[in-house]
Amino acid sequence: MEECGESLWTDEEVSNPAIEKDVLAGDYYLLLDGEQVLAIFIMQDFDSYYWPEAKAGEALYLHRIVVRRAFAGAGHSQTILRFVVDRARQLGIPFIRLDCDRYRAGLNQLYTNLGFHFHSEVTIGDYHGNRYQLDVTSSEATG
C-alpha cells in the first residue's frame, strides 16, 4: 500500500469498519494463485461519490487496486483489467472508470498505460483527483 514511501490510504480508510459495507456487498475481488493472494480490487456498478453525475448502467468502477509488492511488475494489473473488461462486455456496460490522486504521477501513468483516457478532474474536500475512463467497445480496450 505504499508507493515511494507514501501511504496510498490511511489506516482508517482500510479498517474493518470502513470496508465492511463493500465486503458484504461482494465488491471486493481477489486475484489468486492457488491460495496465494496476488492482488485485490474493488469493482462496483456505481460510484455516486466520485462520479455523482453518472447514469446507472453506463460504467463499472474500479477502486483500491492493490498488487502485493512481492508480485509487482508481473502483469497482474493487466490481468485485473482484462477481467473487468470482460465483465463489462458481458453486462453490456460500455465504460470502466476509476479515479486517482492527481499528484501521484506513477499511478496516473499506469492507468494511461493500461489504456484509460483522462476524463476530468474531481475535488472533494482535500482530495484532488483525476478521473479516467476506458471505452470497452473500442478496439483499444484490453481483451
Side-chain angles (χ1 to χ4, degrees), residues 22-88:
D22 294 329
V23 170
L24 293 175
D27 294 338
Y28 272 87
Y29 292 79
L30 302 175
L31 178 62
L32 301 170
D33 181 8
E35 293 186 17
Q36 180 72 49
V37 176
L38 306 177
I40 187 169
F41 63 98
I42 297 172
M43 180 177 65
Q44 299 172 313
D45 60 2
F46 66 95
D47 181 349
S48 60
Y49 190 73
Y50 295 107
W51 298 81
E53 77 286 0
K55 294 176 180 65
E58 71 182 15
L60 290 179
Y61 299 87
L62 279 173
H63 295 286
R64 298 202 174 151
I65 303 166
V66 179
V67 177
R68 292 181 67 188
R69 289 298 93 207
F71 305 108
H76 299 307
S77 296
Q78 292 89 342
T79 300
I80 290 168
L81 184 57
R82 278 193 302 274
F83 170 80
V84 178
V85 165
D86 289 346
R87 185 70 180 136

Side-chain angles (χ1 to χ4, degrees), residues 50-51 53 98-100 102 117-123 129-133:
Y50 295 107
W51 298 81
E53 77 286 0
L98 54 79
D99 67 277
C100 177
R102 76 178 60 139
H117 296 280
F118 177 80
H119 180 280
S120 56
E121 293 182 350
V122 61
T123 299
N130 288 333
R131 300 190 311 179
Y132 290 94
Q133 177 172 279

